[in-house]
Amino acid sequence: MKILVTGAKGFIGKNLVFALKNSSYNNILEFDIDTDIEKLREFCKDCDFVFHLAGVNRTQDKTELITGNVEFTRLILNLLNEHNNTCPIVYASSTQAELDNDYGNSKKQAEDLIFKREADIGARAQVFRFPNIFGKWCKPNYNSAIATFCHNTANGLPIVINDRNHVLNLVYIDDLTIKLIETLKGDENRNGNFCHVPVTYTEKLGVIADYISSFPKTRSNLSIPDQSNQLLKKLYATYLSYMPQEKFKYPLPMHCDTRGSFTEFIRTPDRGQMSVNVSKPGIVKGNHWHNLKNEKFMIVSGSGVIRLRKIYEAEIIDVHASADKLEVIDIPPGYTHTLENTGDTDMVTLIWVNETFDKDNPDTYYLEV
């Protein structure tokens, strides 16, 4: 199948092209503003499906909206007709088409042209009126508040909010491209004449700004935004995509002594915390137990032994482990335990504990194994 994508270098187009390739569609005819117009003629002759994503959405000149949205759409349809190509066409319109403004009117006129083609020759018309779209590669300081907020926050710049109570209807770019590819396969979500992306979000601008503004703090408090909140999860992923490369790396507070080091990595409000423990050869750490806390150890470098004993019994359980075979050792409540490096190099152990450390209630009691 030969798939024509107009606006292939734009926000939606770029994401769609890569999504198509990831879905094993490799014969993609990419057209953008810098492509020779004669290429478009060839593409319209050969294509089996069209994703018409190109258009103008921000300009001071009304005529550019007509040229970029209406006349360019007309050109594509004429070129398809020249070659008697009745392939389906997906058109990226906007919810603005429902409103009486220059941009919305231009998108509505383009819609009408595509629907007329369907009525005249039976060529399938699949028109999406997209709400606000967000995600990686969206241009900041252009027409997306989320892109601007993420870019500015990631780069240490202020954000400006005119109306915190303004409600945004949102769709995430990956949910959109998934639906476009499903539409390519004939799986449509229709509401009357229009297709739609089934996964959308509605939230106040002020709440979104607060979410995004909280993301830089996750590095200092070692937290991860709530990944069960799908909007928050996708906003965080979007924010990270705007991170300047010099900020990709950040330090962690290491607690070091002659025995090695202990470093917390991630803290979560409901799934505990992850830490990295480094032990020098021959060093024994631990000799304590917990009531509620439970842990998982995994040695990822070196070798050692985890010793456990029920606090009211004498039997000692030795569990040997090494990085040669990655295994997880559960540390149940009520067992005093130690971690000993039995090798001749540093031993590195990943440690998960089911709750974050609370200095006022550490639930940690010294008792030798």
Side-chain angles (χ1 to χ4, degrees):
M1 178 180 283
K2 295 180 179 179
I3 302 169
L4 169 58
V5 179
T6 71
K9 295 180 181 178
F11 170 42
I12 302 176
K14 191 184 302 182
N15 278 277
L16 177 61
V17 166
F18 280 103
L20 286 167
K21 291 177 179 178
N22 289 340
S23 299
S24 299
Y25 292 97
N26 296 311
N27 205 342
I28 303 171
L29 312 175
E30 300 180 39
F31 182 89
D32 210 90
I33 193 170
D34 58 353
T35 310
D36 188 336
I37 198 67
E38 287 303 312
K39 277 286 186 183
L40 184 61
R41 188 179 302 276
E42 296 175 21
F43 292 164
C44 287
K45 176 183 177 182
D46 297 335
C47 66
D48 302 300
F49 199 96
V50 178
F51 287 107
H52 180 23
L53 311 177
V56 176
N57 58 16
R58 186 168 183 175
T59 179
Q60 300 296 321
D61 187 350
K62 177 181 177 180
T63 61
E64 292 184 8
L65 293 171
I66 299 300
T67 301
N69 294 331
V70 183
E71 296 307 323
F72 184 61
T73 300
R74 193 191 309 277
L75 173 63
I76 291 172
L77 300 183
N78 287 341
L79 292 175
L80 290 170
N81 290 339
E82 279 183 18
H83 299 291
N84 296 316
N85 190 338
T86 59
C87 70
I89 183 168
V90 166
Y91 180 55
S93 187
S94 166
T95 53
Q96 292 288 311
E98 304 169 11
L99 306 177
D100 185 16
N101 58 53
D102 290 340
Y103 171 62
N105 289 335
S106 70
K107 298 298 280 187
K108 177 65 168 60
Q109 290 178 56
E111 292 176 359
D112 291 342
L113 290 173
I114 291 171
F115 283 131
K116 185 176 186 303
R117 174 178 180 256
E118 181 178 50
D120 289 347
I121 64 173
R124 190 69 166 151
Q126 298 160 308
V127 177
F128 286 82
R129 284 182 169 178
F130 292 132
N132 295 279
I133 308 166
F134 72 101
K136 63 185 183 300
W137 308 334
C138 186
K139 184 178 179 181
N141 300 302
Y142 185 58
N143 65 345
S144 168
I146 290 180
T148 302
F149 289 176
C150 287
H151 171 270
N152 286 14
T153 302
N155 287 273
L157 302 172
I159 60 176
V160 177
I161 308 170
N162 294 323
D163 181 2
R164 287 183 57 87
N165 291 317
H166 177 70
V167 175
L168 292 181
N169 296 311
L170 301 164
V171 62
Y172 183 59
I173 187 61
D174 290 349
D175 295 323
L176 186 155
T177 57
I178 288 170
K179 186 67 249 177
L180 290 181
I181 293 175
E182 289 176 349
T183 303
L184 170 66
K185 298 175 181 178
D187 181 7
E188 299 180 3
N189 284 84
R190 279 191 176 263
N191 183 7
N193 289 331
F194 299 97
C195 301
H196 67 277
V197 180
V199 181
T200 59
Y201 305 94
T202 301
E203 190 53 271
K204 291 181 179 179
L205 186 61
V207 173
I208 292 170
D210 291 344
Y211 279 154
I212 295 171
S213 296
S214 72
F215 293 155
K217 301 173 187 175
T218 61
R219 290 186 164 194
S220 58
N221 61 25
L222 308 182
S223 66
I224 297 292
D226 182 2
Q227 299 295 286
S228 67
N229 180 326
Q230 290 299 304
L231 175 58
L232 186 56
K233 176 181 179 179
K234 292 166 183 177
L235 286 172
Y236 183 59
T238 302
Y239 161 79
L240 290 176
S241 73
Y242 290 92
M243 187 72 65
Q245 63 184 28
E246 63 270 17
K247 291 186 178 181
F248 284 176
K249 182 173 68 173
Y250 62 99
L252 294 172
M254 296 178 63
H255 304 281
C256 302
D257 57 28
T258 56
R259 302 175 301 162
S261 66
F262 182 82
T263 306
E264 293 182 22
F265 175 31
I266 291 175
R267 286 176 164 233
T268 67
D270 63 334
R271 301 299 170 94
Q273 68 181 50
M274 285 289 299
S275 304
V276 180
N277 183 79
V278 179
S279 301
K280 298 293 183 182
I283 290 298
V284 177
K285 292 185 177 182
N287 280 312
H288 60 239
W289 64 280
H290 315 289
N291 277 311
L292 175 62
K293 278 187 178 180
N294 53 91
E295 299 168 295
K296 293 180 184 291
F297 291 178
M298 183 169 69
I299 296 173
V300 296
S301 181
S303 59
V305 58
I306 294 89
R307 292 191 172 90
L308 305 97
R309 178 176 64 81
K310 274 187 179 180
I311 62 173
Y312 54 83
E313 293 184 356
E315 180 188 7
I316 296 175
I317 304 165
D318 286 1
V319 181
H320 294 269
S322 79
D324 294 335
K325 181 181 179 182
L326 295 181
E327 298 174 301
V328 176
I329 299 95
D330 272 315
I331 311 298
Y335 281 79
T336 187
H337 52 277
T338 59
L339 174 63
E340 180 181 355
N341 183 349
T342 57
D344 54 10
T345 62
D346 285 359
M347 180 179 71
V348 181
T349 307
L350 295 184
I351 299 176
W352 172 85
V353 61
N354 67 311
E355 60 183 34
T356 58
F357 179 72
D358 180 357
K359 62 181 177 60
D360 295 323
N361 182 27
D363 187 18
T364 300
Y365 306 95
Y366 177 80
L367 182 64
E368 291 188 3
V369 173

Short mmCIF file of all heavy atoms in Angstrom, two decimals, residues 281-327:
data_model
loop_
_atom_site.label_atom_id
_atom_site.label_comp_id
_atom_site.label_asym_id
_atom_site.label_seq_id
_atom_site.Cartn_x
_atom_site.Cartn_y
_atom_site.Cartn_z
N PRO A 281 33.99 -5.26 49.41
CA PRO A 281 34.24 -6.67 49.70
C PRO A 281 34.31 -6.94 51.20
O PRO A 281 34.95 -6.20 51.96
CB PRO A 281 35.58 -6.94 49.02
CG PRO A 281 35.64 -5.96 47.89
CD PRO A 281 34.97 -4.73 48.42
N GLY A 282 33.63 -8.00 51.65
CA GLY A 282 33.64 -8.40 53.05
C GLY A 282 32.69 -7.64 53.95
O GLY A 282 32.53 -7.99 55.13
N ILE A 283 32.06 -6.60 53.44
CA ILE A 283 31.19 -5.77 54.27
C ILE A 283 29.84 -6.44 54.48
O ILE A 283 29.25 -7.01 53.57
CB ILE A 283 31.01 -4.38 53.61
CG1 ILE A 283 32.32 -3.59 53.69
CG2 ILE A 283 29.87 -3.61 54.27
CD1 ILE A 283 32.79 -3.30 55.11
N VAL A 284 29.34 -6.31 55.71
CA VAL A 284 28.01 -6.79 56.07
C VAL A 284 27.15 -5.58 56.44
O VAL A 284 27.55 -4.75 57.25
CB VAL A 284 28.06 -7.77 57.27
CG1 VAL A 284 26.65 -8.20 57.66
CG2 VAL A 284 28.92 -8.97 56.93
N LYS A 285 25.98 -5.49 55.83
CA LYS A 285 25.03 -4.42 56.15
C LYS A 285 23.72 -5.04 56.60
O LYS A 285 23.35 -6.14 56.18
CB LYS A 285 24.78 -3.53 54.92
CG LYS A 285 25.97 -2.70 54.48
CD LYS A 285 25.58 -1.76 53.33
CE LYS A 285 26.73 -0.88 52.92
NZ LYS A 285 26.38 0.08 51.85
N GLY A 286 22.99 -4.31 57.43
CA GLY A 286 21.68 -4.76 57.87
C GLY A 286 21.64 -5.02 59.35
O GLY A 286 21.88 -4.12 60.15
N ASN A 287 21.33 -6.29 59.74
CA ASN A 287 21.08 -6.66 61.13
C ASN A 287 19.92 -5.85 61.69
O ASN A 287 20.02 -5.19 62.73
CB ASN A 287 22.34 -6.49 61.99
CG ASN A 287 23.30 -7.65 61.84
OD1 ASN A 287 22.90 -8.81 61.92
ND2 ASN A 287 24.58 -7.34 61.60
N HIS A 288 18.82 -5.88 60.97
CA HIS A 288 17.61 -5.24 61.45
C HIS A 288 16.39 -5.95 60.83
O HIS A 288 16.52 -6.74 59.91
CB HIS A 288 17.59 -3.73 61.11
CG HIS A 288 17.66 -3.42 59.65
ND1 HIS A 288 18.66 -2.65 59.10
CD2 HIS A 288 16.86 -3.78 58.59
CE1 HIS A 288 18.47 -2.55 57.78
NE2 HIS A 288 17.38 -3.22 57.47
N TRP A 289 15.21 -5.63 61.40
CA TRP A 289 13.97 -6.23 60.90
C TRP A 289 12.87 -5.18 60.87
O TRP A 289 13.00 -4.08 61.41
CB TRP A 289 13.57 -7.45 61.73
CG TRP A 289 13.24 -7.14 63.18
CD1 TRP A 289 14.11 -6.93 64.19
CD2 TRP A 289 11.92 -7.00 63.73
NE1 TRP A 289 13.45 -6.66 65.36
CE2 TRP A 289 12.09 -6.72 65.10
CE3 TRP A 289 10.64 -7.10 63.23
CZ2 TRP A 289 11.01 -6.52 65.97
CZ3 TRP A 289 9.56 -6.92 64.08
CH2 TRP A 289 9.75 -6.63 65.43
N HIS A 290 11.74 -5.54 60.24
CA HIS A 290 10.62 -4.61 60.07
C HIS A 290 9.31 -5.32 60.41
O HIS A 290 9.17 -6.53 60.25
CB HIS A 290 10.54 -4.11 58.62
CG HIS A 290 11.85 -3.71 58.02
ND1 HIS A 290 12.55 -2.59 58.40
CD2 HIS A 290 12.60 -4.30 57.05
CE1 HIS A 290 13.67 -2.49 57.70
NE2 HIS A 290 13.73 -3.53 56.88
N ASN A 291 8.33 -4.51 60.85
CA ASN A 291 6.98 -5.03 61.10
C ASN A 291 6.16 -5.09 59.81
O ASN A 291 5.62 -6.13 59.45
CB ASN A 291 6.25 -4.14 62.11
CG ASN A 291 6.60 -4.48 63.54
OD1 ASN A 291 6.57 -5.65 63.92
ND2 ASN A 291 6.94 -3.48 64.33
N LEU A 292 6.06 -3.98 59.14
CA LEU A 292 5.24 -3.88 57.93
C LEU A 292 6.08 -3.80 56.66
O LEU A 292 5.72 -4.35 55.62
CB LEU A 292 4.33 -2.65 58.00
CG LEU A 292 3.49 -2.34 56.77
CD1 LEU A 292 2.51 -3.49 56.49
CD2 LEU A 292 2.73 -1.03 56.94
N LYS A 293 7.20 -3.16 56.78
CA LYS A 293 8.05 -3.01 55.60
C LYS A 293 8.45 -4.37 55.03
O LYS A 293 8.77 -5.29 55.77
CB LYS A 293 9.33 -2.23 55.95
CG LYS A 293 9.18 -0.74 55.98
CD LYS A 293 10.55 -0.09 56.17
CE LYS A 293 10.45 1.41 56.15
NZ LYS A 293 11.77 2.05 56.34
N ASN A 294 8.42 -4.45 53.73
CA ASN A 294 8.99 -5.63 53.07
C ASN A 294 9.83 -5.15 51.90
O ASN A 294 9.56 -4.08 51.32
CB ASN A 294 7.90 -6.60 52.62
CG ASN A 294 6.83 -5.93 51.78
OD1 ASN A 294 6.93 -5.90 50.55
ND2 ASN A 294 5.80 -5.39 52.42
N GLU A 295 10.85 -5.92 51.58
CA GLU A 295 11.84 -5.48 50.59
C GLU A 295 12.09 -6.57 49.56
O GLU A 295 11.80 -7.75 49.79
CB GLU A 295 13.16 -5.13 51.29
CG GLU A 295 13.04 -3.99 52.30
CD GLU A 295 14.28 -3.87 53.18
OE1 GLU A 295 14.54 -4.83 53.95
OE2 GLU A 295 14.98 -2.86 53.07
N LYS A 296 12.65 -6.14 48.44
CA LYS A 296 13.14 -7.06 47.41
C LYS A 296 14.56 -6.65 47.08
O LYS A 296 14.83 -5.48 46.82
CB LYS A 296 12.26 -7.00 46.16
CG LYS A 296 10.84 -7.55 46.36
CD LYS A 296 10.03 -7.45 45.08
CE LYS A 296 8.59 -7.91 45.30
NZ LYS A 296 8.46 -9.36 45.56
N PHE A 297 15.48 -7.61 47.14
CA PHE A 297 16.89 -7.38 46.81
C PHE A 297 17.21 -8.05 45.47
O PHE A 297 16.74 -9.16 45.19
CB PHE A 297 17.82 -7.98 47.87
CG PHE A 297 17.81 -7.29 49.21
CD1 PHE A 297 18.58 -7.78 50.26
CD2 PHE A 297 17.03 -6.17 49.44
CE1 PHE A 297 18.58 -7.17 51.50
CE2 PHE A 297 17.02 -5.54 50.68
CZ PHE A 297 17.79 -6.04 51.70
N MET A 298 18.04 -7.40 44.67
CA MET A 298 18.57 -8.03 43.47
C MET A 298 20.00 -7.56 43.26
O MET A 298 20.26 -6.37 43.09
CB MET A 298 17.73 -7.70 42.23
CG MET A 298 18.23 -8.41 40.97
SD MET A 298 17.10 -8.31 39.56
CE MET A 298 17.21 -6.57 39.17
N ILE A 299 20.93 -8.50 43.31
CA ILE A 299 22.34 -8.19 43.10
C ILE A 299 22.59 -8.08 41.60
O ILE A 299 22.36 -9.03 40.86
CB ILE A 299 23.24 -9.25 43.74
CG1 ILE A 299 23.05 -9.26 45.26
CG2 ILE A 299 24.71 -9.02 43.39
CD1 ILE A 299 23.76 -10.39 45.97
N VAL A 300 23.06 -6.91 41.16
CA VAL A 300 23.27 -6.68 39.73
C VAL A 300 24.75 -6.59 39.37
O VAL A 300 25.10 -6.51 38.20
CB VAL A 300 22.52 -5.41 39.26
CG1 VAL A 300 21.03 -5.59 39.39
CG2 VAL A 300 23.00 -4.17 40.02
N SER A 301 25.60 -6.57 40.38
CA SER A 301 27.05 -6.62 40.14
C SER A 301 27.70 -7.25 41.35
O SER A 301 27.40 -6.89 42.50
CB SER A 301 27.62 -5.22 39.89
OG SER A 301 29.00 -5.27 39.64
N GLY A 302 28.60 -8.22 41.10
CA GLY A 302 29.26 -8.89 42.21
C GLY A 302 28.45 -10.08 42.71
O GLY A 302 27.54 -10.58 42.04
N SER A 303 28.78 -10.50 43.94
CA SER A 303 28.11 -11.66 44.53
C SER A 303 28.03 -11.49 46.04
O SER A 303 28.83 -10.76 46.64
CB SER A 303 28.83 -12.96 44.18
OG SER A 303 30.18 -12.91 44.64
N GLY A 304 27.08 -12.16 46.64
CA GLY A 304 26.93 -12.03 48.09
C GLY A 304 25.96 -13.05 48.65
O GLY A 304 25.46 -13.93 47.95
N VAL A 305 25.68 -12.87 49.93
CA VAL A 305 24.73 -13.74 50.61
C VAL A 305 23.80 -12.88 51.45
O VAL A 305 24.23 -11.94 52.13
CB VAL A 305 25.46 -14.79 51.48
CG1 VAL A 305 26.35 -14.12 52.53
CG2 VAL A 305 24.45 -15.73 52.13
N ILE A 306 22.52 -13.20 51.37
CA ILE A 306 21.52 -12.57 52.23
C ILE A 306 21.17 -13.58 53.31
O ILE A 306 20.80 -14.74 53.01
CB ILE A 306 20.25 -12.18 51.43
CG1 ILE A 306 20.57 -11.08 50.42
CG2 ILE A 306 19.16 -11.71 52.38
CD1 ILE A 306 21.01 -11.57 49.09
N ARG A 307 21.36 -13.18 54.58
CA ARG A 307 21.04 -14.06 55.71
C ARG A 307 19.78 -13.55 56.40
O ARG A 307 19.66 -12.36 56.67
CB ARG A 307 22.21 -14.12 56.69
CG ARG A 307 23.42 -14.83 56.11
CD ARG A 307 24.48 -15.11 57.18
NE ARG A 307 25.54 -15.97 56.63
CZ ARG A 307 26.64 -15.49 56.04
NH1 ARG A 307 26.83 -14.17 55.96
NH2 ARG A 307 27.54 -16.33 55.55
N LEU A 308 18.87 -14.48 56.67
CA LEU A 308 17.60 -14.11 57.30
C LEU A 308 17.32 -15.04 58.48
O LEU A 308 17.68 -16.23 58.46
CB LEU A 308 16.44 -14.22 56.31
CG LEU A 308 16.53 -13.44 55.00
CD1 LEU A 308 17.02 -14.36 53.88
CD2 LEU A 308 15.19 -12.84 54.62
N ARG A 309 16.68 -14.50 59.51
CA ARG A 309 16.27 -15.31 60.66
C ARG A 309 14.99 -14.73 61.24
O ARG A 309 14.86 -13.52 61.44
CB ARG A 309 17.37 -15.29 61.74
CG ARG A 309 17.00 -16.08 63.00
CD ARG A 309 18.15 -16.11 63.99
NE ARG A 309 18.49 -14.79 64.51
CZ ARG A 309 17.85 -14.16 65.50
NH1 ARG A 309 16.80 -14.74 66.09
NH2 ARG A 309 18.24 -12.97 65.90
N LYS A 310 13.99 -15.61 61.44
CA LYS A 310 12.81 -15.16 62.16
C LYS A 310 13.24 -14.68 63.53
O LYS A 310 14.04 -15.34 64.21
CB LYS A 310 11.79 -16.29 62.31
CG LYS A 310 10.86 -16.43 61.12
CD LYS A 310 9.77 -17.46 61.41
CE LYS A 310 8.82 -17.56 60.23
NZ LYS A 310 7.75 -18.57 60.48
N ILE A 311 12.70 -13.54 63.95
CA ILE A 311 13.24 -12.90 65.15
C ILE A 311 13.05 -13.73 66.42
O ILE A 311 13.75 -13.51 67.41
CB ILE A 311 12.64 -11.49 65.34
CG1 ILE A 311 11.13 -11.57 65.52
CG2 ILE A 311 12.99 -10.59 64.16
CD1 ILE A 311 10.49 -10.24 65.89
N TYR A 312 12.14 -14.71 66.41
CA TYR A 312 11.93 -15.52 67.60
C TYR A 312 12.44 -16.95 67.44
O TYR A 312 12.14 -17.83 68.24
CB TYR A 312 10.44 -15.55 67.98
CG TYR A 312 9.51 -15.98 66.87
CD1 TYR A 312 9.29 -17.32 66.59
CD2 TYR A 312 8.87 -15.03 66.09
CE1 TYR A 312 8.46 -17.72 65.57
CE2 TYR A 312 8.03 -15.41 65.06
CZ TYR A 312 7.81 -16.76 64.81
OH TYR A 312 6.98 -17.13 63.78
N GLU A 313 13.23 -17.19 66.36
CA GLU A 313 13.78 -18.53 66.13
C GLU A 313 15.30 -18.45 65.98
O GLU A 313 15.87 -17.37 65.78
CB GLU A 313 13.16 -19.15 64.87
CG GLU A 313 11.67 -19.45 65.03
CD GLU A 313 11.09 -20.15 63.81
OE1 GLU A 313 11.83 -20.34 62.81
OE2 GLU A 313 9.89 -20.50 63.83
N ALA A 314 15.96 -19.60 66.00
CA ALA A 314 17.42 -19.65 65.92
C ALA A 314 17.92 -19.97 64.51
O ALA A 314 19.07 -19.66 64.18
CB ALA A 314 17.96 -20.68 66.91
N GLU A 315 17.08 -20.59 63.69
CA GLU A 315 17.53 -21.02 62.37
C GLU A 315 17.88 -19.83 61.49
O GLU A 315 17.11 -18.87 61.38
CB GLU A 315 16.44 -21.85 61.69
CG GLU A 315 16.85 -22.34 60.31
CD GLU A 315 15.71 -23.01 59.55
OE1 GLU A 315 14.56 -22.97 60.05
OE2 GLU A 315 15.97 -23.55 58.46
N ILE A 316 19.05 -19.90 60.85
CA ILE A 316 19.51 -18.87 59.92
C ILE A 316 19.40 -19.41 58.50
O ILE A 316 19.86 -20.52 58.21
CB ILE A 316 20.95 -18.43 60.23
CG1 ILE A 316 21.02 -17.79 61.61
CG2 ILE A 316 21.46 -17.47 59.15
CD1 ILE A 316 22.44 -17.45 62.05
N ILE A 317 18.83 -18.62 57.64
CA ILE A 317 18.66 -19.00 56.23
C ILE A 317 19.67 -18.21 55.41
O ILE A 317 19.70 -16.97 55.46
CB ILE A 317 17.24 -18.69 55.76
CG1 ILE A 317 16.21 -19.40 56.65
CG2 ILE A 317 17.05 -19.07 54.29
CD1 ILE A 317 14.80 -18.88 56.47
N ASP A 318 20.51 -18.92 54.66
CA ASP A 318 21.48 -18.27 53.78
C ASP A 318 20.98 -18.34 52.34
O ASP A 318 20.69 -19.44 51.84
CB ASP A 318 22.84 -18.97 53.85
CG ASP A 318 23.59 -18.65 55.15
OD1 ASP A 318 23.02 -17.91 55.96
OD2 ASP A 318 24.70 -19.16 55.33
N VAL A 319 20.89 -17.19 51.70
CA VAL A 319 20.47 -17.13 50.30
C VAL A 319 21.61 -16.50 49.50
O VAL A 319 21.90 -15.30 49.63
CB VAL A 319 19.18 -16.29 50.11
CG1 VAL A 319 18.78 -16.28 48.64
CG2 VAL A 319 18.05 -16.85 50.97
N HIS A 320 22.29 -17.32 48.70
CA HIS A 320 23.41 -16.84 47.90
C HIS A 320 22.89 -16.31 46.56
O HIS A 320 21.98 -16.89 45.96
CB HIS A 320 24.43 -17.95 47.69
CG HIS A 320 25.11 -18.39 48.94
ND1 HIS A 320 26.29 -17.82 49.39
CD2 HIS A 320 24.75 -19.32 49.88
CE1 HIS A 320 26.64 -18.39 50.51
NE2 HIS A 320 25.73 -19.30 50.85
N ALA A 321 23.48 -15.24 46.09
CA ALA A 321 23.06 -14.65 44.82
C ALA A 321 24.22 -13.92 44.18
O ALA A 321 25.17 -13.51 44.86
CB ALA A 321 21.89 -13.69 45.03
N SER A 322 24.16 -13.76 42.88
CA SER A 322 25.20 -13.02 42.17
C SER A 322 24.62 -12.45 40.89
O SER A 322 23.53 -12.83 40.44
CB SER A 322 26.40 -13.92 41.84
OG SER A 322 26.14 -14.72 40.71
N ALA A 323 25.39 -11.55 40.29
CA ALA A 323 24.97 -10.93 39.04
C ALA A 323 25.04 -11.89 37.87
O ALA A 323 24.53 -11.59 36.78
CB ALA A 323 25.83 -9.69 38.75
N ASP A 324 25.68 -13.07 38.07
CA ASP A 324 25.74 -14.06 36.99
C ASP A 324 24.36 -14.60 36.65
O ASP A 324 24.12 -15.03 35.52
CB ASP A 324 26.66 -15.22 37.39
CG ASP A 324 28.11 -14.78 37.54
OD1 ASP A 324 28.48 -13.76 36.91
OD2 ASP A 324 28.85 -15.42 38.30
N LYS A 325 23.48 -14.60 37.62
CA LYS A 325 22.09 -15.02 37.40
C LYS A 325 21.20 -14.08 38.21
O LYS A 325 21.15 -14.19 39.44
CB LYS A 325 21.89 -16.47 37.85
CG LYS A 325 20.47 -16.97 37.62
CD LYS A 325 20.31 -18.41 38.11
CE LYS A 325 18.88 -18.90 37.89
NZ LYS A 325 18.70 -20.28 38.41
N LEU A 326 20.54 -13.17 37.53
CA LEU A 326 19.74 -12.18 38.23
C LEU A 326 18.53 -12.83 38.87
O LEU A 326 17.70 -13.46 38.20
CB LEU A 326 19.29 -11.07 37.27
CG LEU A 326 20.42 -10.21 36.68
CD1 LEU A 326 19.85 -9.13 35.77
CD2 LEU A 326 21.26 -9.58 37.78
N GLU A 327 18.45 -12.69 40.18
CA GLU A 327 17.34 -13.25 40.95
C GLU A 327 16.88 -12.21 41.97
O GLU A 327 17.67 -11.40 42.45
CB GLU A 327 17.77 -14.52 41.67
CG GLU A 327 18.21 -15.64 40.74
CD GLU A 327 18.77 -16.83 41.50
OE1 GLU A 327 19.77 -16.64 42.24
OE2 GLU A 327 18.20 -17.93 41.36
#
